[in-house]
Amino acid sequence: MMRSKEGRKAVTLLRTVLCAVASLSLSEAYAASGCTALYGIDAAATPNIGWVNTDTGVFNSISALNGLTTANALALSPSDGTLYYIDRTTNNLVQFDTVNRTSTVVINSLYTASAVGATFDNTQSKPRLFIMYNDYTIKEVDTVSKSIVSNISINITGRDSAGASISKTDATNAGTTTTSGDIIAFAGKMYLAIDADRGVASSGQAYYMDFGTIPAVGATSITNVDGTAVRLSLSGAAMAVKSVNGISISPLNNAVYLSYTKTGGGGFGQLNTANGQITDLGTNSNGFTDLSDCAVLPDVPIVSKAFSTTPNSSPTTIRTGQNATLTLTLSSGNPSPSYLLADLTDSLPSGVTVASTPNVSTTCVSSSGGTPIITAAANSGSVTIPTGTRVPQSGSSCTVTLTVTGTTRGQKTNIIPGGSLRTTAGTYGSNATAALLVNDPISGTNVKRQRLYPNGTLGTATVNAKPKDLIEYCITATHPGVGYAPATAATITDTLEAPLSFVTGSATQGYGAGQDLKITRNGGTPSYQAFGTAVQGQKLTVSILPFNSANTTVEVCFIAQVK
């Protein structure tokens, strides 16, 4: 009686990694523009330039305008997102780079009166810049030739929407011959927040007025559209002259916003242009001097996400207890940055947590250029990018990366729901999705059967054989299936005892010529191959890859002869 040693299967796991990456394409058919935020200048001793959260009215400083004591007439170019303002001390026209947060003088001593507002006409190819002054004039400035191309007088005549006569302020009624306010352009028309006398003997009032079609280059005057001027009021009280200092229109919803003086500092609110009522949204303790406006609808910024490991594989896979890297990416097709209006939170799926050592890092910056505080507590179920984080301009992106751990077996789909990314350039409406497969470690099993060849029956019982008899051995390895790691290296190994020898197939023995090994996967049709280097002396070593959830059973058979 001859018996081979018990067969054994050795499965070697090198390292199993999986990562599925989901990228998202923009669903809204918007065009890139520089109108990516509503900016403002505050009235601090050293003024700051920053963006205003239209939800809350909160002013978020981007940069201090060092060396200045007052600045006004803020305008945002729709073509590239460059800001322009007037240094009221020198009357210089200055441009501000919202990416690098630096100022450069464009024109020295532009005009002697005090600038109170500015706007572009929203032509993207070569936008026209209009600057409003407190002496009821507007200067159109060519920023390329660096010259004034139109000197425009502002005329106020006729009646307001309530039927009262209106005119420019004068010393008798309003106590002043100058105006505060601002200017916006929208849909080919020009609108002003401006001071005017109402009636013969009344004091001055702040108004919102329609001045009709944007004037052509070289125009000398504009006049309000009779009957359209509405008095501005806050909490039922009319706004006095010198109280309104900024006006802006959002390209996202065409809402009109105002900045103004009020108790406690500067107010920011939304204007009902039909009746002049202001809904107060917030307070800036330093007050405002002006707001920018820009009405060309921008691209909506995008958030995308991915899981990865090193080395990477597709689909992305880890074993339970192992780590993967989660990467969140913020990007935009616009030429200028935008900013998060609200926290962006990614809630991890069940069975995935922030690792005990989160390893959080980011290339994103805050509104002021610092590093935003990313919240991702160890062993928690979420990561949060804070309000005010900057979404980079086109051609750039920023990322947040952290380490996560798979805690339970299964396919984990991580979704940031559409609507979660809310920015000054719009709300991203699509889901950001990534998948991570978490497997338990591989735990394959094997069974060895034998029989007298060719007429015996395969079984696990001992075979009684005499010299020259042939014995067929079949070893079956079984993978546990879905939810368990695929083997990166898997072999079946068997060693014959000395009285046995491997039979090489030929036309008269074994499985046939060149058919020394019979391999059957998942109970299907067998394939055959020669021993080759699989046999070394009395030892057989056969790779059974692929060995995974799609190839759960692999049977290797061979024939030996009793010497």
Side-chain angles (χ1 to χ4, degrees):
M1 176 180 72
M2 295 297 173
R3 182 172 58 189
S4 74
K5 290 182 179 178
E6 191 68 29
R8 61 188 181 273
K9 171 178 73 74
V11 176
T12 304
L13 291 177
L14 299 178
R15 180 161 52 176
T16 309
V17 287
L18 8 123
C19 174
V21 178
S23 62
L24 295 171
S25 60
L26 192 67
S27 60
E28 296 85 351
Y30 296 163
S33 90
C35 304
T36 53
L38 191 162
Y39 291 96
I41 296 175
D42 72 7
T46 298
N48 296 282
I49 198 164
W51 63 275
V52 184
N53 189 320
T54 54
D55 287 347
T56 63
V58 172
F59 178 78
N60 301 269
S61 177
I62 296 174
S63 175
L65 300 178
N66 294 317
L68 276 65
T69 57
T70 180
N72 209 312
L74 187 63
L76 178 61
S77 170
S79 63
D80 60 10
T82 299
L83 283 166
Y84 291 80
Y85 64 87
I86 294 290
D87 173 355
R88 289 253 297 240
T89 301
T90 62
N91 294 318
N92 292 342
L93 175 64
V94 184
Q95 69 178 23
F96 181 84
D97 185 328
T98 54
V99 176
N100 299 314
R101 296 176 294 112
T102 55
S103 294
T104 305
V105 175
V106 178
I107 303 175
N108 290 304
S109 302
L110 184 63
Y111 184 59
T112 55
S114 295
V116 295
T119 190
F120 280 94
D121 72 340
N122 296 308
T123 302
Q124 285 188 281
S125 57
K126 187 182 177 182
R128 300 167 62 197
L129 174 60
F130 297 89
I131 301 174
M132 176 180 170
Y133 288 86
N134 71 340
D135 61 353
Y136 289 94
T137 62
I138 294 173
K139 307 297 180 184
E140 180 183 351
V141 179
D142 187 322
T143 58
V144 177
S145 66
K146 299 182 179 180
S147 62
I148 295 174
V149 295
S150 300
N151 290 282
I152 305 168
S153 295
I154 301 171
N155 298 321
I156 299 176
T157 63
R159 298 182 179 276
D160 64 16
S161 60
S165 62
I166 52 176
S167 60
K168 294 180 186 179
T169 57
D170 60 44
T172 300
N173 292 319
T176 178
T177 59
T178 58
T179 183
S180 185
D182 198 3
I183 180 173
I184 60 173
F186 178 69
K189 299 181 71 175
M190 187 170 282
Y191 302 85
L192 275 63
I194 194 165
D195 296 333
D197 278 343
R198 185 174 191 265
V200 176
S202 84
S203 61
Q205 307 261 300
Y207 275 90
Y208 172 75
M209 295 190 189
D210 178 354
F211 278 81
T213 302
I214 294 172
V217 176
T220 58
S221 66
I222 58 172
T223 302
N224 59 296
V225 179
D226 193 18
T228 62
V230 292
R231 286 189 296 169
L232 300 178
S233 62
L234 178 66
S235 301
M239 301 293 286
V241 295
K242 311 297 184 187
S243 62
V244 176
N245 47 52
I247 188 170
S248 181
I249 186 166
S250 169
L252 304 180
N253 57 7
N254 297 335
V256 175
Y257 299 95
L258 293 174
S259 60
Y260 40 86
T261 57
K262 69 172 188 178
T263 303
F268 178 83
Q270 185 172 343
L271 172 65
N272 183 326
T273 58
N275 59 24
Q277 294 291 326
I278 301 169
T279 300
D280 190 64
L281 297 175
T283 301
N284 175 19
S285 60
N286 286 329
F288 291 98
T289 62
D290 201 20
L291 301 176
S292 72
D293 83 286
C294 194
V296 179
L297 195 63
D299 275 343
V300 176
I302 297 170
V303 58
S304 58
K305 61 183 305 181
F307 290 105
S308 63
T309 55
T310 304
N312 208 355
S313 65
S314 181
T316 306
T317 305
I318 57 174
R319 296 200 299 271
T320 50
Q322 288 186 330
N323 294 333
T325 298
L326 172 60
T327 301
L328 305 179
T329 302
L330 300 177
S331 60
S332 166
N334 298 305
S336 55
S338 52
Y339 310 89
L340 266 63
L341 286 172
D343 291 351
L344 174 62
T345 297
D346 180 11
S347 298
L348 301 176
S350 176
V352 178
T353 64
V354 176
S356 57
T357 303
N359 298 314
V360 177
S361 65
T362 183
T363 62
C364 298
V365 297
S366 65
S367 300
S368 59
T371 301
I373 299 175
I374 309 299
T375 303
N379 304 310
S380 70
S382 65
V383 54
T384 298
I385 304 174
T387 302
T389 299
R390 187 171 77 180
V391 180
Q393 69 282 3
S394 176
S396 184
S397 62
C398 75
T399 60
V400 172
T401 60
L402 65 149
T403 304
V404 297
T405 302
T407 59
T408 62
R409 176 166 57 91
Q411 179 78 20
K412 311 299 182 180
T413 301
N414 189 190
I415 299 174
I416 300 176
S420 298
L421 176 62
R422 298 185 60 247
T423 77
T424 55
T427 297
Y428 186 56
S430 298
N431 293 344
T433 305
L436 177 69
L437 179 59
V438 181
N439 284 331
D440 282 340
I442 189 171
S443 56
T445 59
N446 68 283
V447 175
K448 183 175 183 179
R449 299 176 298 161
Q450 54 268 330
R451 65 167 179 158
L452 287 172
Y453 186 80
N455 297 318
T457 300
L458 284 169
T460 57
T462 299
V463 173
N464 295 313
K466 59 184 183 298
K468 303 301 181 181
D469 279 350
L470 299 177
I471 303 174
E472 182 181 36
Y473 295 99
C474 291
I475 304 169
T476 302
T478 302
H479 186 280
V482 175
Y484 293 85
T488 56
T491 58
I492 284 179
T493 301
D494 195 20
T495 301
L496 296 181
E497 290 185 348
L500 295 169
S501 62
F502 291 102
V503 172
T504 301
S506 68
T508 59
Q509 67 175 3
Y511 303 127
Q515 299 184 157
D516 308 331
L517 291 168
K518 180 172 68 172
I519 300 175
T520 306
R521 293 183 178 276
N522 295 334
T525 302
S527 61
Y528 297 87
Q529 65 185 57
F531 283 132
T533 58
V535 170
Q536 300 292 325
Q538 294 293 99
K539 186 176 182 179
L540 171 72
T541 304
V542 180
S543 172
I544 59 170
L545 291 178
F547 190 55
N548 51 35
S549 59
N551 296 271
T552 54
T553 62
V554 182
E555 183 182 67
V556 175
C557 298
F558 62 91
I559 297 172
Q561 186 174 44
V562 182
K563 297 178 181 178

